[in-house]
Amino acid sequence: MYGDQETVRRILTELGDTWAVVGLSNNRDRAAYGVAAVLQRFGKRVVPIHPKAETVHGEQGYASLSAVPFRIDVVDVFVNSALAGQVADDAVAAGAQAVWFQLGVVDEAAFDRTRAAGLDMVMNRCPAIEIPQLG
């Protein structure tokens, strides 16, 4: 498991409430849609990042992290593992404080690079599962 419980808690409670959700669209059948709704219920601002730049859950979407005109605290990654490393690098470049790779998204080299850049990172876990457990 990549990301100890203290890192999970810190990302979910201390690092800020603006979460870019990479891969979020209006497709209700995709996990990103439901996870984003849970994050909103727990007070997070969800910023959709998707090539279509759709408005999702009432939030304006952007085609890329670099297109977001305000600070992102956490980048939540719903793309496949082959693409996730570039997203992690983009998160570092954007000044995010943390990166969260969803269940099934694994890139050990990206994990190491992101941590070496000073960001908190969790990999192969889901914030919608973790956040309700914090009490």
Side-chain angles (χ1 to χ4, degrees):
M1 191 163 312
Y2 299 92
D4 57 59
Q5 201 56 36
E6 177 58 27
T7 301
V8 168
R9 187 198 59 73
R10 184 171 46 255
I11 292 172
L12 291 171
T13 64
E14 296 177 17
L15 293 188
D17 291 331
T18 302
W19 284 54
V21 182
V22 179
L24 176 58
S25 71
N26 278 309
N27 184 342
R28 294 171 185 261
D29 295 330
R30 303 291 300 203
Y33 190 89
V35 170
V38 170
L39 289 170
Q40 280 187 323
R41 281 198 303 276
F42 280 89
K44 307 300 182 192
R45 179 182 183 190
V46 171
V47 180
I49 307 296
H50 190 279
K52 293 180 183 177
E54 298 175 316
T55 296
V56 184
H57 297 306
E59 290 286 346
Q60 171 62 49
Y62 297 89
S64 65
L65 284 173
S66 63
V68 179
F70 48 84
R71 181 183 170 153
I72 296 293
D73 300 309
V74 181
V75 176
D76 189 6
V77 182
F78 277 92
V79 300
N80 70 51
S81 298
L83 302 174
Q86 183 60 56
V87 175
D89 295 341
D90 293 347
V92 171
Q97 298 180 73
V99 175
W100 192 300
F101 280 8
Q102 280 292 330
L103 291 171
V105 180
V106 176
D107 182 332
E108 293 179 10
F111 183 87
D112 292 341
R113 282 194 314 273
T114 303
R115 299 283 295 142
L119 282 70
D120 280 330
M121 184 161 180
V122 172
M123 184 164 67
N124 196 27
R125 292 174 84 164
C126 180
I129 294 171
E130 303 292 338
I131 201 168
Q133 298 177 14
L134 295 176

